[in-house]
Amino acid sequence: MKEIIKSQYKSPVYNVQAVPIEKIQANSYNPNAVAPPEMKLLYQSIKEDGYTMPIVCYYLADIDRYEIVDGYHRYTIMKTHKDIYDRENGLLPVVIIDKDISNRMASTIRHNRARGAHSIELMTHIVAELTQSGMSDAWILKNIGMDADELLRLKQITGLREIFSNKEFSNSLEFKQE
């Protein structure tokens, strides 16, 4: 079956390999940075869901190592979290691309830029649905990776009274009706 898959499909994802993390190294050209809150969310995602996307690498045959093209932050999670390392037995899912350095650099940028951004409208809808289904703010903050200010802003955008129904508000501002 493996030979059928290899001959039928050309995409690297059909040939994922389990590679010891000690044989994997970062590249020197990735301009992408991930802020601490997103790294925390990435850790939680890998902890809860496992590795759902392989690391993209180029094989350096002369030194028998794999250089990361895409997936540096997923790699970093395993390097910095013993629980993930132990659970995965120190192995990362890797796919190999065979490209020269210029094309690997271009591939890294394409991977970084293709991730996109979340739509505010869709995020407010998700927050509203989660709240209406009984999920607490603490649950949403933890599982969606938001901070309290962002959650409040998304709730305010929706304009749904139900979202604030379980909150107490102070009477610090009172308006006089005339």
Side-chain angles (χ1 to χ4, degrees), residues 2-46:
K2 191 173 186 179
E3 292 306 313
I4 293 170
I5 290 174
K6 278 187 174 181
S7 65
Q8 186 178 5
Y9 300 104
K10 302 296 181 195
S11 295
V13 74
Y14 295 105
N15 192 24
V16 178
Q17 303 171 38
V19 175
I21 195 166
E22 294 78 18
K23 293 185 85 169
I24 299 172
Q25 66 185 41
N27 66 48
S28 61
Y29 52 82
N30 187 359
N32 193 22
V34 175
E38 284 76 20
M39 283 300 287
K40 185 177 176 182
L41 184 59
L42 180 58
Y43 166 70
Q44 183 177 354
S45 174
I46 291 170

Side-chain angles (χ1 to χ4, degrees), residues 58-67:
Y58 173 77
Y59 180 63
L60 302 164
D62 56 330
I63 60 172
D64 189 31
R65 291 184 59 88
Y66 298 80
E67 184 175 80

Side-chain angles (χ1 to χ4, degrees), residues 14-167:
Y14 295 105
N15 192 24
V16 178
Q17 303 171 38
V19 175
I21 195 166
E22 294 78 18
K23 293 185 85 169
I24 299 172
Q25 66 185 41
N27 66 48
S28 61
Y29 52 82
N30 187 359
N32 193 22
V34 175
E38 284 76 20
M39 283 300 287
K40 185 177 176 182
L41 184 59
L42 180 58
Y43 166 70
Q44 183 177 354
S45 174
I46 291 170
K47 184 176 180 177
E48 298 289 330
D49 303 324
Y51 280 92
T52 58
M53 293 175 38
I55 311 301
V56 179
C57 292
Y58 173 77
Y59 180 63
L60 302 164
D62 56 330
I63 60 172
D64 189 31
R65 291 184 59 88
Y66 298 80
E67 184 175 80
I68 297 171
V69 174
D70 180 67
Y72 172 77
H73 297 98
R74 285 172 272 142
Y75 156 84
T76 300
I77 292 298
M78 183 179 283
K79 294 274 290 184
T80 58
H81 292 85
K82 186 175 178 352
D83 60 330
I84 302 296
Y85 181 94
D86 290 345
R87 184 190 71 198
E88 302 294 326
N89 296 313
L91 300 172
L92 274 173
V94 169
V95 294
I96 309 301
I97 61 170
D98 187 17
K99 297 178 180 244
D100 63 37
I101 186 66
S102 297
N103 282 298
R104 292 195 311 266
M105 288 178 175
S107 183
T108 295
I109 302 306
R110 282 193 302 271
H111 279 88
N112 289 345
R113 297 189 79 189
R115 285 188 178 87
H118 288 128
S119 156
I120 299 286
E121 182 180 342
L122 292 175
M123 287 300 293
T124 56
H125 179 71
I126 289 168
V127 166
E129 282 195 26
L130 290 171
T131 302
Q132 290 169 347
S133 68
M135 297 296 114
S136 69
D137 286 359
W139 188 95
I140 294 170
L141 294 175
K142 178 183 178 205
N143 289 283
I144 305 299
M146 294 182 181
D147 63 36
D149 289 337
E150 181 182 15
L151 180 58
L152 178 62
R153 283 191 302 274
L154 290 175
K155 284 183 169 188
Q156 288 170 332
I157 289 170
T158 65
L160 296 175
R161 283 179 51 193
E162 307 88 59
I163 287 177
F164 293 99
S165 65
N166 63 346
K167 300 290 177 210

